[in-house]
Amino acid sequence: MSDGEFHSGAALAQRFDVSRASVWNALQAAQTAGAVLHKVRGRGYRLSGGASWLDASAIASLPGGAAYTLDIVDSIDSTNAELMRRALAGAPHGSCLAAEIQHAGRGRRGRTWHSVPGGSLTFSVLWRFNQGISALSGLSLAVGVALLRSLREFGAADLQLKWPNDVLWQYRKLAGILIEVQGDVMGPSVAIIGIGINLRLPTAVRDEIDQAVTDLAEVLDRPVDRNVLLGSVLRHLHDVLTAFEAQGLRELRGEWQAAHAYQDKPVRVLLANGADLCGKVVELTEDGALVLEHADGQRSRVNSGEVHLTRCVA
Ligand code: BTN
C-alpha cells in the first residue's frame, strides 16, 4: 500500500494469498500502530500519503550505508533498547538497527517517543569508543550537527538545534536524539545513538505529544525517500563521529553554536534535581556544557537539563 492508492480487500487477500479476514486483521494492527488508513466502500483501503518502506540493500548501496552493519525490523520495543542488548552480547561497532514500528519508543527524561509506520524514521547506531564514558559528554551535540548537515542537504532551511540534542524548525521539534552509554570511566565504552525524525505525523499523534512538533512534510515542499534520508544521516554521522573520536567537539562546536536556537537569549534551564536556573546563553564549552550569564554578571555551567525560553521570575 506504499503507493497511497486504494486497494480492495479482495485484491490484497489475493496478492498475499491470505483470507480477507487476515487482511482486515493486518490493517487493524497497522492502524493500532499509528498508520492512517482510509476506507471507502467499493474502493478499498488507502494508506494516507503512501510510504517508502526501509530497504537494507537500498541503504547499503548509498555512499553512507556501506560503513554500517544494517538491520531493519518491522517492529521492536525500542531500537535503542534492542541495540544495547545486542551491544552487551558483542554486536560490532557500526551496527545500525532501524524499525518501521517501535511499540515502546523511548525519549529523553523517561518520555515516550511517538512514531508512525512510514511517517517517521526511527533507528539506532552502535559506536564503540576507546575513551571512557566521561569523554562522551558532548556526543549528542555532535550527532545534532550530523542531523543538521543531512537535513540541510535535502533543502531544509531555518533549522535550529536546541541544547542538548533536539533539532527544531521554527522552535518546533523535528527530530530527537537519545544517547545511552555503557562502559568504564577510563574506557572502553559503547554508545547507542538513537535518532527519531518526524516525516509525516498525523494530527492525532501530534496531539499526544506534550511539546510543539513539526515534521519534514511541513518543512520541505517535496516528499523524501526514507532510505535516501537514512543513508544521508548515516554518512554525516560517520563523519562527525570520526571527528568527535579524534578531538571531541573542537571541530564541531562553532557549527553547533551557529545553529543554536537560544544563543544569546535569556533562558530558564530546568535542572535534573527540579531546580531551575536563569540566564543568558553565552556559549557552549568544548565538553558540551551550556554557559549561562546571570543578571549579576556571574557565569555558570549547565551539564544537563532542559532549556525553556521563558522569562525568569525572581
Ligand atoms: C528525545 O528527543 O526525547 C529523544 C528521542 C529519541 C527517539 C529515538 S527513535 C530511535 C531510538 N529508539 C528509541 O527508543 N528512542 C530513539
Side-chain angles (χ1 to χ4, degrees), residues 160-176:
Q160 304 154 308
L161 294 171
K162 179 187 164 196
W163 185 86
N165 50 10
D166 290 347
V167 180
L168 310 180
W169 180 73
Q170 298 187 354
Y171 292 96
R172 289 184 286 149
K173 187 155 168 171
L174 175 64

Side-chain angles (χ1 to χ4, degrees), residues 78-80 102 104-108 113 122-124 166 173 176-178 194-196:
S78 145
T79 55
N80 260 39
Q102 286 192 126
R106 306 207 291 229
R108 287 182 66 236
W113 182 257
T122 51
F123 65 99
S124 303
D166 290 347
K173 187 155 168 171
I177 300 160
L178 177 68
I195 297 178

Side-chain angles (χ1 to χ4, degrees), residues 35 48 53 68 79 100 105 130 132 148 158 182 241 243 250 274 285 292:
S48 175
W53 304 114
Y68 295 84
T79 55
E100 293 292 3
N130 290 327
L148 198 69
D158 303 325
Q182 284 269 337
L241 291 175
R250 200 161 307 150
T285 65
L292 296 188

Side-chain angles (χ1 to χ4, degrees), residues 1-310:
M1 298 179 73
S2 55
D3 58 8
E5 302 294 330
F6 279 101
H7 297 271
S8 71
L12 289 169
Q14 193 181 28
R15 165 81 170 73
F16 294 104
D17 197 18
V18 295
S19 66
R20 287 185 66 171
S22 301
V23 168
W24 191 84
N25 286 337
L27 293 173
Q28 286 298 309
Q31 266 182 313
T32 306
V36 180
L37 293 174
H38 294 152
K39 180 174 184 240
V40 173
R41 189 185 284 271
R43 298 186 74 188
Y45 306 89
R46 185 175 81 87
L47 178 64
S48 175
S52 57
W53 304 114
L54 294 173
D55 174 350
S57 57
I59 299 162
S61 68
L62 295 168
Y68 295 84
T69 307
L70 281 168
D71 186 15
I72 292 167
V73 292
D74 286 342
S75 170
I76 199 89
D77 52 350
S78 145
T79 55
N80 260 39
E82 171 62 14
L83 202 51
M84 183 59 91
R85 291 190 286 267
R86 293 185 187 182
L88 298 177
H93 172 77
S95 297
C96 171
L97 175 66
E100 293 292 3
I101 297 171
Q102 286 192 126
H103 51 83
R106 306 207 291 229
R108 287 182 66 236
R109 298 175 156 257
R111 290 191 173 112
T112 297
W113 182 257
H114 297 267
S115 54
V116 288
S120 307
L121 198 53
T122 51
F123 65 99
S124 303
V125 165
L126 185 169
W127 209 259
R128 296 188 184 275
F129 291 89
N130 290 327
Q131 297 104 311
I133 45 179
S134 56
L136 307 186
S137 57
L139 180 58
S140 67
L141 295 117
V143 175
V145 170
L147 278 177
L148 198 69
R149 288 181 184 174
S150 170
L151 292 166
R152 282 179 176 160
E153 206 170 76
F154 287 85
D158 303 325
L159 295 176
Q160 304 154 308
L161 294 171
K162 179 187 164 196
W163 185 86
N165 50 10
D166 290 347
V167 180
L168 310 180
W169 180 73
Q170 298 187 354
Y171 292 96
R172 289 184 286 149
K173 187 155 168 171
L174 175 64
I177 300 160
L178 177 68
I179 298 193
E180 295 175 287
V181 294
Q182 284 269 337
D184 294 326
V185 179
M186 302 303 289
S189 55
V190 59
I192 303 299
I193 301 163
I195 297 178
I197 307 177
N198 303 329
L199 303 183
R200 202 182 46 250
L201 286 188
T203 317
V205 175
R206 287 177 179 231
D207 291 347
E208 283 177 41
I209 303 174
D210 63 355
Q211 55 187 314
V213 288
T214 186
D215 57 23
L216 212 51
E218 199 177 351
V219 174
L220 301 178
D221 53 8
R222 65 188 174 93
V224 165
D225 181 298
R226 293 162 76 234
N227 291 303
V228 177
L229 178 59
L230 180 51
S232 159
V233 174
L234 290 176
R235 175 163 47 84
H236 288 290
L237 200 54
H238 192 274
D239 290 350
V240 300
L241 291 175
T242 307
F244 183 84
E245 254 174 335
Q247 42 175 307
L249 284 178
R250 200 161 307 150
E251 198 189 287
L252 307 165
R253 190 162 68 118
E255 197 172 340
W256 192 94
Q257 264 182 176
H260 190 201
Y262 299 112
Q263 184 68 32
D264 300 319
K265 293 203 164 69
V267 297
R268 185 167 69 90
V269 179
L270 199 62
L271 301 175
N273 64 5
D276 57 12
L277 206 59
C278 288
K280 187 176 87 170
V281 175
V282 285
E283 66 161 345
L284 180 78
T285 65
E286 275 198 6
D287 57 356
L290 200 63
V291 179
L292 296 188
E293 189 173 274
H294 306 292
D296 61 3
Q298 299 269 20
R299 290 186 170 197
S300 49
R301 245 180 87 99
V302 185
N303 297 311
S304 69
E306 189 152 341
V307 175
H308 294 269
L309 188 68
T310 56

